Amino acid sequence: MDAFTGTTRLILLGFFASHIIFTLGLDGQAVIPLSFFPQCLIDLGEFEVATFNDPLMGNARNLLWFQSLVVLELCFQLPFFCVAVYYLSQSDQTTYPDGFRSACIAYGAHTSTTLVPILTSFWASEHVATFTERVLLTSLYFPYLAIPLWLLWMTATATPTHTNSSKKTQ
């Protein structure tokens, strides 16, 4: 697959680099004991919950389905973020290995699928009182649907770097 270039590469690089920070610093608070986090990150999480009335992060320790998504994020997505940052930070790269293309497809499909119940919960939740709160929460989480879908489309439609064109000879 041809390497991402220009603005596309920079958007993806920024997205994945920031996602490493948010996954470890904020999302991880849903499943990792809070004693592992510095107070400034706990305060930031509480600020996010208070500012956006986020019913998931505000009640994460009581929502097993949400905790399971965070565990998947920590175990599967976080390593991918690191690999993605590695490849995207190499601006002189002209192609990516087919394994990276496959990982992008898997990440894009997995993440966009997990965002459907998350976004739906905002609109169905009795804890999100106003339309404005629902729109703000949706706006906050929407990039985590849009960018993985965009990555999925770009990589699923890209030509693999290596094709299996060798023929058996007799």
Side-chain angles (χ1 to χ4, degrees), residues 15 18-19 22 107 111-112 115 140-148:
F15 176 77
S18 67
H19 213 304
F22 291 127
Y107 164 77
T111 301
S112 57
L115 263 291
L140 181 68
Y141 280 75
F142 186 74
Y144 301 99
L145 171 66
I147 292 175

Side-chain angles (χ1 to χ4, degrees), residues 19-90:
H19 213 304
I20 291 169
I21 295 165
F22 291 127
T23 297
L24 291 172
L26 292 176
D27 296 351
Q29 292 181 37
V31 295
I32 298 170
L34 293 179
S35 60
F36 284 88
F37 295 91
Q39 189 61 47
C40 64
L41 289 178
I42 295 169
D43 293 344
L44 182 60
E46 291 172 354
F47 172 80
E48 188 267 335
V49 169
T51 302
F52 296 101
N53 195 21
D54 187 335
L56 299 180
M57 289 305 292
N59 197 28
R61 297 204 177 260
N62 297 318
L63 299 171
L64 188 58
W65 71 270
F66 183 67
Q67 287 181 321
S68 68
L69 294 180
V70 173
V71 168
L72 289 171
E73 181 180 358
L74 289 166
C75 293
F76 297 104
Q77 292 180 32
L78 182 59
F80 171 75
F81 301 153
C82 297
V83 170
V85 166
Y86 169 78
Y87 283 116
L88 293 165
S89 66
Q90 299 179 12

Side-chain angles (χ1 to χ4, degrees), residues 62-135:
N62 297 318
L63 299 171
L64 188 58
W65 71 270
F66 183 67
Q67 287 181 321
S68 68
L69 294 180
V70 173
V71 168
L72 289 171
E73 181 180 358
L74 289 166
C75 293
F76 297 104
Q77 292 180 32
L78 182 59
F80 171 75
F81 301 153
C82 297
V83 170
V85 166
Y86 169 78
Y87 283 116
L88 293 165
S89 66
Q90 299 179 12
S91 61
D92 60 341
Q93 192 158 352
T94 58
T95 61
Y96 298 125
D98 290 334
F100 180 63
R101 176 180 177 261
S102 298
C104 289
I105 291 169
Y107 164 77
H110 167 72
T111 301
S112 57
T113 302
T114 64
L115 263 291
V116 171
I118 289 172
L119 294 174
T120 301
S121 73
F122 296 150
W123 290 90
S125 175
E126 59 193 39
H127 299 291
V128 184
T130 69
F131 178 79
T132 302
E133 288 176 339
R134 286 181 169 88
V135 170

